[in-house]
Amino acid sequence: MVIDLRRCDGCKKCTEACQTEHDLPKTFEWIKVFQLQDKSGETYYMPRPCMHCENAPCLRVCPVAATFRTDEGVILVDQERCIGCRMCMAACPYGARYFNFGDPPAAPNPFQKPTPEFPVPQIKGTVGKCMLCVHNTDHGELPACVKACGMQALWIGDLTADVATNGSDTVRLSSLIKDNDAFRYKEELGTSPRVYYIAGHGQDLDN
Amino acid sequence: MTRALRILVPLVIVVISIVILEDGHIFPEPVHLQVPNGSLVAPPANGQGSQSGGTAAQQPAAAAAPNAAHLALSVHPSSNASHGYVVGAEVRTPEGAAAGDATVSFYEAVDFFGPREELLGTATTDSSGSASFTYLPATTGSHRIVARSSGIAKVASGQASETFTAAIAAPAYRDHVPAITAFYNLVPYGVGVVVLAVWLLIAFALIGTARGVARGAREQKEKGVIA
Amino acid sequence: MDRRTRALYVERAVWPIGRGDRKFWISVMVLGALVAAGVYAWIYQVQHGLWVTGLNQKVSWGFYIINCVFFIGMSYGGAMTSAILRLTGAKWRAPLTRIAEATAVAALLVGAVYPIVDLGRPDRFLYILRYGQVGSPVVWDLVAVTSYAIASFVFLYLPLIPDLPVAKAALGARAGLLGRIYDALSLGWKGRPDQERALARGIGIMAVLIIPLAVSVHSVLAWLFAVTSRAEWHSTIFAPYFVLAAMFSGVAAVIIVVAALRKVYGLGEFIVAKHFRYLSYLLIALGAGYLYFMISEFLTDGYVFESGTTSGLQSLFIGQYAPEFWSFSVGGLLVPLVLAALPGRFPVARATVASVLVVAGMWLKRFLIVVPGMANPIMPWEWGQYQPTWVEITILVGSAAAIPLMLIVFFRFFPVMSVHELDEVEGRYEVSSRHRIPAYAPVYGAGDAGGGDD
């Protein structure tokens, strides 16, 4: 994923779309929009989905391998296995994980059984997070947040095919990253996130 | 009433069991989109690209305009093989004159969340009407390139497409794995040996002591009998 | 030492055995009620989900993890006072070892329950065995705590073997079924030299083993935090820091328990001011070491002003956690150290007060490790808040009550001081003296009347 901070206007449509897509309560912001200020005091916004790190800390600390990586590199959670120890929440440097402290809202489809690829409804006592809408992408559909973004600030890409799209434009992913000096958040932690940010307007996520 | 129930109840049961057995997927899964392959593969033949709006046209076909530019697309391996391919476009006015100063955008027809045209790069035509850019594809195999020229004075935009088979590709994307992780795999065995040794020691301390004490008790008894 | 003294300490050691007086039952009922309240709170939490606690998306670890570290840390007193004093051959340990070892097991049992209380899905606890991932600190934790728990049980049981005939004799005619259990557990102990040798070897192995095991447990608990990338936790000093903290609070816990049981069971004649002074020395040494570690941590962090650590340090020293931090530093570390180090009168009272302060302070310190580490922003500007609810507090109170409950029930069945070790240090009983007939039964008419005759 590439997130263009120059375009994000903080409308939080991505968060809403995500919550609708996965039947999440309002406190579950799997993609969360942070309001920040750059050095000149101007406001900008930073959406934070799960970074789907290549060297994912959450994956290593899970005692029961409930968190796993798909062949495409998406980090998923098997809520049928998660024991709810919340070690992954302590380990995640991005705060991308959300624990179901209480009962999740009932799913509209009573026969829906949650799977790692479509964890709806969430299971009480387990951890959930952004799963890059693999239930959509597996079927050639864009993730809910990318579809919902009116500013086309969210790009979804494929590192092997080297292509990225924000729904209307399609470009080479490597060029998008390189030409715009995209960077990864907290890169110094060695997590190798798969989410890139394009700053470009003096935004500095490390302030 | 009972008659209706006799029909309705099994029906409901059947429906419910189907739904349950379907494991939640009560809606049919969308059909996966397939990339057509094989038939489109053709080697680049000296600049004669096939002229077509193509299946990958997301943008309206510009060829419809009567004064559309003529585009000829060619793909050659670059002189430096590791750079990939040189994609060249020659833009001509409908009258056949070279069209300079036209911006040509090169796209690749991809299937990425549906058919899309991936922007590869742009180039401006020189006085001979040709523009080119070097393209190193991400994967080997068949690639379909689409070129579109911008409109210039008195000439509308034009387009052309060309399919070629790439033998060279950019190095495949790889996860960043520090080399030391190979060592990690050995650690559990070492720790396992230590843990096992500790458990054996505890067992030895417990069972050894118990046996020693019990043996002492037996001997005491036997001696007592002899005495 | 004459027989009279021996009869005296045997009498005192077995005094609580089988003694079901009103004080005992009232204590059992009060403590049992507290434990039951804690269990009820936990069941309530399992039914309703963890939202009944003060935990939230930002601060997802709270009281339970604090308590887990705290209670397991308390159990280190057993490893310290018993194993180390045994290995160094400190004779003054004799009246203390049993209490220390029992406290270790009781505190460990309470601490080991907490990870389960903390789970969102306790019903899936055994998944850790089924799907265990060797790379996870949670699994390390399970292995280390299990090993340590088994070792603590063995370490409690082995020195108990020679005392079981004593306990049986104390019950006299009332022994009955219990007497047969004592017999089975004592494995026919007669005090023969070869039995002594076997026992000494077993205890020796366990005394050596329990120390690295104890060290491993708190190291692993520390790594639970230190392997994350949170600036407050990601520290190389964490494992020894935790181990030292555990020893510190463990010795304090032993002092408290010894002081309490000394009063309750009237052990004042055997556990004297000297014991508290020595234990205080131990406490001071460990406390000073802890202070040194703390200074080392804050100095290295605070000197550089790295962006990650600065906000955490600020919140501790002058920010929202400053009250807790300064109460711990002054009230839980400096004051107890001075209190215990002062020469002069009331050594028992001073050691006990210092220990209570240390235990409370070390709980606070664990709070200051867990909660600010969670609450400090990892994403820009996002501070967490944590306010425990009645569920967490009730479970804490209930689990704390479980320790004295387990202890008084345990000492109702087993001698509160190790008679065998007292024999040994009183020179009563030499391992090498092959022909000495151990004179247990005749001497111990204890529980009922005074000392008998040979």
Side-chain angles (χ1 to χ4, degrees), chain C residues 185-222:
Chain C
L185 285 176
S186 72
L187 306 158
W189 176 266
K190 294 281 188 305
R192 284 168 49 95
D194 48 348
Q195 288 183 324
E196 290 282 2
R197 269 198 301 277
L199 184 72
R201 190 185 59 186
I203 295 178
I205 293 174
M206 288 317 297
V208 173
L209 202 57
I210 199 104
I211 295 169
L213 270 174
V215 169
S216 79
V217 170
H218 251 67
S219 303
V220 167
L221 280 177

Side-chain angles (χ1 to χ4, degrees), chain A residues 32 36 60-61 63 79-87 89-90 94 98-99 101-102 123-124 185-186, chain C residues 47 49-51 55 57 60-61 118 120-121 124 127 131 133 135-136 224 229-230 378-382:
Chain A
K32 179 165 184 161
L36 305 172
R60 269 180 284 147
V61 299
Q79 295 193 327
E80 295 287 358
R81 189 183 287 190
C82 173
I83 60 171
C85 67
R86 309 194 290 293
M87 180 77 210
M89 299 180 73
Y94 305 102
Y98 290 84
F99 185 73
F101 284 100
I123 298 176
K124 183 175 99 174
Y185 188 43
K186 297 194 186 183
Chain C
Q47 278 173 341
L50 279 166
W51 68 267
L55 300 172
Q57 303 295 3
S60 54
W61 278 349
D118 182 65
R121 295 295 303 243
R124 295 180 183 169
Y127 279 17
Y131 305 112
Q133 297 294 302
S136 169
L224 204 63
S229 56
R230 288 169 192 261
I378 49 171
M379 293 304 287
W381 318 120
E382 202 192 22

Side-chain angles (χ1 to χ4, degrees), chain A residues 54 109 111-113 137-142 156-165 167-168 170-172 192 194, chain B residues 16 19-20 23-24 26 29-30 32 58 110 112-114 116-120 135-139 173 175-176:
Chain A
E54 279 164 22
N109 170 7
F111 298 110
Q112 174 68 45
K113 272 203 212 142
T137 57
D138 281 355
H139 302 154
E141 252 183 86
L142 289 169
I156 181 159
D158 181 340
L159 285 160
T160 31
D162 200 11
V163 52
T165 183
S168 62
T170 307
V171 296
R172 283 203 102 176
S192 297
R194 280 176 193 262
Chain B
I16 289 176
V19 165
I20 290 171
D23 203 14
I26 44 169
E29 293 189 12
H32 285 251
Q58 214 178 23
V110 291
F112 189 64
F113 299 104
R116 288 174 194 279
E117 287 192 348
E118 174 187 358
L119 179 67
L120 301 176
Y135 176 45
L136 184 61
T139 54
Y173 181 80
D175 277 11
H176 165 75

Side-chain angles (χ1 to χ4, degrees), chain A residues 66 68 75-80 113-119 131 134:
Chain A
F68 61 99
I75 309 283
L76 297 181
V77 182
D78 184 353
Q79 295 193 327
E80 295 287 358
K113 272 203 212 142
T115 61
E117 290 78 23
F118 190 52
M131 21 71 74
V134 286

Side-chain angles (χ1 to χ4, degrees), chain C residues 4-5 8-9 12 262 266-272 275 417:
Chain C
R4 191 69 35 212
T5 330
L8 213 61
Y9 65 66
R12 273 294 111 188
R262 178 177 176 265
L267 308 175
E269 204 172 325
F270 310 100
I271 302 174
V272 293
H275 291 104
M417 291 188 294

Side-chain angles (χ1 to χ4, degrees), chain B residues 10-34:
Chain B
L11 200 71
V12 166
I13 289 173
V14 166
V15 167
I16 289 176
S17 10
I18 288 174
V19 165
I20 290 171
L21 288 174
E22 274 260 329
D23 203 14
H25 295 290
I26 44 169
F27 304 108
E29 293 189 12
V31 180
H32 285 251
L33 286 155
Q34 298 281 324

